[in-house]
């Protein structure tokens, strides 16, 4: 616009200078031309002003754009929204441990009524250590086994777990305390510490997950109820559609049928293989075969002499236990919340071979010893409506014919086969609580059957991991 005014002024100056030298008619003509030029320029200026006003109105109508970031003065505090506060550097292992620590407490108690005194409970034909945890326990009200479980990821490569058991007699024991790899790859997992062996089906499960209040007689007679040990375990899960897993173990051999002794080598070795899968949408199964070898040195065993007096024998040698197990589950369309059924059975065969000192406080006679024993159980548990289940278990043992060698006349022999029939009903108000009533006819001891009644509760506090199949 300024250049237009300058052009107009120059034209007017030229016109004025020229008018001085021109006659009057020419002067009037020039004046008319000047007026025409002024009118033309005024129109052009007005058109430019209108265009400017239109451009300003259009700019105001657009949405505001973010202002460009401006550099802050050195040392000046930045506004909170200008730059987010930097994250604190936390090691991944520490963060993982803090976020994944799981603590749970299993509270369990029971009332037991028996027709025979539990203090003299034994399983005929099976010589067991004097402190073996067998039988129905104590009469009357008592705490059952309560358990504190701690589980956490240690770092991206390991996780740890500890299960501390509180016994009714106020004793405390470490059931499990181990570390386990999480990322070896190729289906491999390594476990180190104290853990329940993976032999069989029931052995690796904690007591509060059992479908009955006690372990089967075969487990009590040949595995000391549950076999756990200190050692190493390696597991391999095959990359196949059908489940197939194999586990190998080496351990100290500290619990029955082994003994804790001062040896450098392993006192226990075990291997187990399991396979399973689904049958349609409503059925699944798992079956396996396991082998356990445990060494014993000067292991005290309760027995009796030919006239029935209690004696103590001492065994040194090895025990081989074979276990075949199978489980079949049914749930309509895979939904087990309303009704479901579980059929479970195991067969155990144990062979003890070594030497025996008969009546260690009396005759103290040494000789060879060999005995083959077996036992099985079969149980079915049916959930007939939500929260309610009923179960039946039948079981029998065969202790074979022991070979006492030179001590044949010093140790008494039993007759008959131990057996037991158990019926249970439980009510589960939620997945964290359970009430159970169980009645059993126990014929493990010679003589009349022992009728055992058990009322039991089990409560879970805190975060508890999922149980195995």
């Amino acid at each position: 616009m300024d250049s237009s005014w300058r052009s107009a002024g120059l034209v007017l100056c030229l016109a004025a200078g020229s008018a001085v030298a021109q006659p009057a008619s020419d002067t009037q003509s020039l004046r008319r031309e000047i007026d025409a030029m002024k009118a033309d320029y005024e129109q052009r200026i007005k058109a430019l002003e209108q265009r400017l006003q239109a451009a300003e109105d259009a700019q105001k109508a657009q949405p505001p754009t973010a202002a460009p970031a401006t550099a802050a003065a050195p040392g000046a505090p930045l506004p909170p929204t200008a730059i987010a506060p930097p994250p604190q550097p936390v090691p991944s292992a520490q963060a993982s441990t803090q976020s994944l620590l799981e603590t749970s407490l299993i509270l369990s108690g029971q009332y037991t009524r028996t027709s025979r005194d539990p203090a003299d409970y034994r399983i005929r034909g099976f010589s067991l250590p004097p402190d073996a945890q067998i039988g129905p326990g104590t009469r009357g009200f008592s705490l059952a086994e309560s358990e504190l479980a701690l589980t956490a990821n240690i770092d991206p490569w390991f996780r740890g777990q500890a299960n501390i058991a509180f016994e009714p007699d106020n004793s405390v024991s470490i059931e499990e305390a181990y570390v386990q790899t999480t990322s070896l790859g190729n289906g491999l997992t390594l476990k180190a510490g104290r853990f329940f062996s993976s032999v069989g089906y029931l052995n690796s499960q904690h007591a509060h997950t059992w479908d009955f209040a006690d372990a089967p007689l075969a487990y009590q007679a040949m595995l000391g109820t549950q076999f756990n040990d200190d050692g190493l375990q390696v597991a391999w899960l095959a990359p196949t559609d059908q489940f197939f897993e194999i586990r190998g173990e080496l351990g100290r051999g500290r619990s029955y049928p082994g003994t804790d002794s001062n040896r450098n080598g392993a006192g226990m070795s075990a291997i187990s293989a399991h396979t399973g899968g689904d049958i349609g949408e409503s059925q699944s199964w798992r079956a396996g075969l396991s082998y356990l070898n445990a060494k014993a040195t000067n292991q005290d065993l309760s027995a009796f002499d030919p006239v029935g007096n209690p004696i103590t024998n001492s065994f040194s040698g090895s025990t081989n236990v074979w276990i075949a197990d199978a489980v079949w589950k049914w749930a309509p369309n895979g939904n087990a919340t309303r009704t479901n059924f579980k059929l479970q059975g195991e067969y155990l065969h144990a062979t003890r071979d070594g030497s025996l000192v008969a009546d260690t406080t009396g005759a103290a006679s040494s000789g060879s010893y060999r005995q083959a024993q077996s036992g099985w159980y079969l149980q079915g548990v049916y959930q007939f409506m939500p929260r309610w289940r009923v179960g039946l278990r039948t079981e029998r043992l065969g202790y074979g014919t022991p070979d006492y060698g030179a001590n044949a006349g010093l140790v008494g022999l039993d007759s008959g086969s131990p057996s037991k029939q158990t019926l249970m009903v439980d009510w589960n108000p939620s997945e964290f609580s359970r009430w159970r009533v169980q009645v059993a006819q126990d014929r493990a001891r010679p003589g009349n059957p022992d009728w055992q009644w058990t009322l039991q509760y089990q409560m879970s506090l805190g975060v508890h991991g999922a149980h195995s199949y």
Side-chain angles (χ1 to χ4, degrees):
M1 185 171 62
D2 293 339
S3 59
S4 301
W5 281 111
R6 283 196 298 271
S7 302
L10 178 60
V11 171
L12 290 175
C13 291
L14 292 174
S18 177
V20 174
Q22 298 295 329
S25 58
D26 293 338
T27 301
Q28 294 177 353
S29 175
L30 290 172
R31 186 173 300 276
R32 287 195 295 270
E33 290 179 7
I34 291 172
D35 292 339
M37 293 177 64
K38 289 175 61 177
D40 180 59
Y41 276 101
E42 287 177 356
Q43 290 179 356
R44 294 177 62 181
I45 291 173
K46 186 175 181 180
L48 291 174
E49 290 177 347
Q50 291 176 350
R51 291 176 59 184
L52 177 62
Q53 184 62 39
E56 291 177 348
D57 293 342
Q59 186 176 9
K60 292 179 180 178
Q62 294 179 356
T65 58
T70 57
L78 295 174
T81 56
I83 299 177
Q88 297 297 321
V90 178
S92 58
Q94 179 184 355
S96 176
T97 302
Q98 291 175 348
S99 60
L100 298 178
L101 180 63
E102 298 177 357
T103 305
S104 68
L105 178 64
I106 304 297
L107 298 178
S108 182
Q110 64 186 34
Y111 169 79
T112 304
R113 179 184 177 85
T114 64
S115 60
R116 300 184 61 177
D117 189 355
D120 59 6
Y121 189 88
R122 71 181 183 90
I123 302 175
R124 52 183 160 175
F126 290 81
S127 294
L128 298 172
D131 59 349
Q133 295 183 350
I134 59 175
T138 59
R139 283 171 163 169
F141 293 98
S142 67
L143 285 179
E145 179 185 289
S146 298
E147 175 187 301
L148 175 64
L150 303 171
T151 304
N153 290 331
I154 300 170
D155 55 29
W157 301 278
F158 297 98
R159 64 184 293 269
Q161 178 171 335
N163 294 82
I164 304 169
F166 303 95
E167 306 293 343
D169 60 356
N170 289 334
S171 62
V172 179
S173 63
I174 305 298
E175 280 192 340
E176 293 189 292
Y178 62 83
V179 295
Q180 187 176 30
T181 61
T182 59
S183 55
L184 280 184
N186 298 317
L188 291 170
T189 303
L190 181 65
K191 182 187 292 185
R194 178 174 298 178
F195 50 84
F196 286 123
S197 173
S198 61
V199 295
Y201 175 74
L202 201 61
N203 189 76
S204 60
Q205 299 181 10
H206 290 261
H208 69 272
T209 67
W210 297 346
D211 293 318
F212 291 82
D214 52 0
L217 286 178
Y219 267 72
Q220 297 182 38
M222 285 177 269
L223 294 176
T225 301
Q226 262 185 305
F227 184 79
N228 69 345
D229 204 6
D230 301 349
L232 300 170
Q233 180 192 81
V234 59
W236 178 67
L237 179 63
T240 57
D241 293 337
Q242 177 166 324
F243 169 77
F244 179 78
E245 185 182 62
I246 186 168
R247 293 175 182 260
E249 302 169 2
L250 285 177
R252 185 179 182 85
R254 51 180 289 276
S255 59
Y256 185 84
T259 57
D260 198 358
S261 61
N262 184 23
R263 63 171 71 92
N264 288 320
M268 179 278 293
S269 60
I271 187 170
S272 61
H274 289 91
T275 184
D278 296 331
I279 306 174
E281 295 182 352
S282 303
Q283 304 176 60
S284 61
W285 64 280
R286 200 193 84 159
L289 184 64
S290 307
Y291 168 77
L292 168 69
N293 174 267
K295 296 180 174 62
T297 303
N298 299 324
Q299 182 181 63
D300 288 339
L301 301 174
S302 297
F304 58 92
D305 63 18
V307 296
N309 297 316
I311 61 173
T312 300
N313 300 329
S314 180
F315 169 73
S316 296
S318 65
T319 303
N320 298 316
V321 183
W322 288 89
I323 306 174
D325 64 273
V327 181
W328 173 74
K329 295 183 179 181
W330 169 81
N333 299 317
N335 182 6
T337 57
R338 183 167 184 80
T339 59
N340 64 78
F341 180 74
K342 177 183 179 183
L343 183 65
Q344 167 187 333
E346 294 187 72
Y347 173 80
L348 288 78
H349 184 275
T351 302
R352 311 207 78 186
D353 195 355
S355 61
L356 185 80
V357 178
D359 192 5
T360 55
T361 59
S365 174
S366 299
S368 60
Y369 172 70
R370 177 179 172 82
Q371 184 168 16
Q373 304 164 315
S374 63
W376 58 268
Y377 77 91
L378 180 66
Q379 67 182 50
V381 178
Y382 177 51
Q383 178 173 300
F384 54 93
M385 62 183 296
R387 308 186 189 285
W388 286 91
R389 304 189 309 163
V390 59
L392 178 65
R393 183 175 68 194
T394 181
E395 50 191 318
R396 181 175 290 272
L397 302 180
Y399 53 79
T401 302
D403 181 3
Y404 286 105
N407 298 320
L410 299 178
V411 183
L413 300 177
D414 277 310
S415 61
S417 298
S419 63
K420 189 177 180 179
Q421 317 298 328
T422 307
L423 174 68
M424 79 87 188
V425 177
D426 66 23
W427 173 56
N428 304 272
S430 72
E431 59 182 313
F432 306 105
S433 60
R434 169 176 294 162
W435 291 87
R436 173 185 289 140
V437 177
Q438 177 174 304
V439 57
Q441 184 194 58
D442 190 333
R443 293 182 178 274
R445 285 176 285 186
N448 296 325
D450 183 19
W451 287 94
Q452 304 165 353
W453 290 85
T454 304
L455 173 62
Q456 185 183 51
Y457 69 83
Q458 293 175 331
M459 307 288 170
S460 176
L461 290 73
V463 179
H464 197 81
H467 299 143
S468 60
Y469 176 81

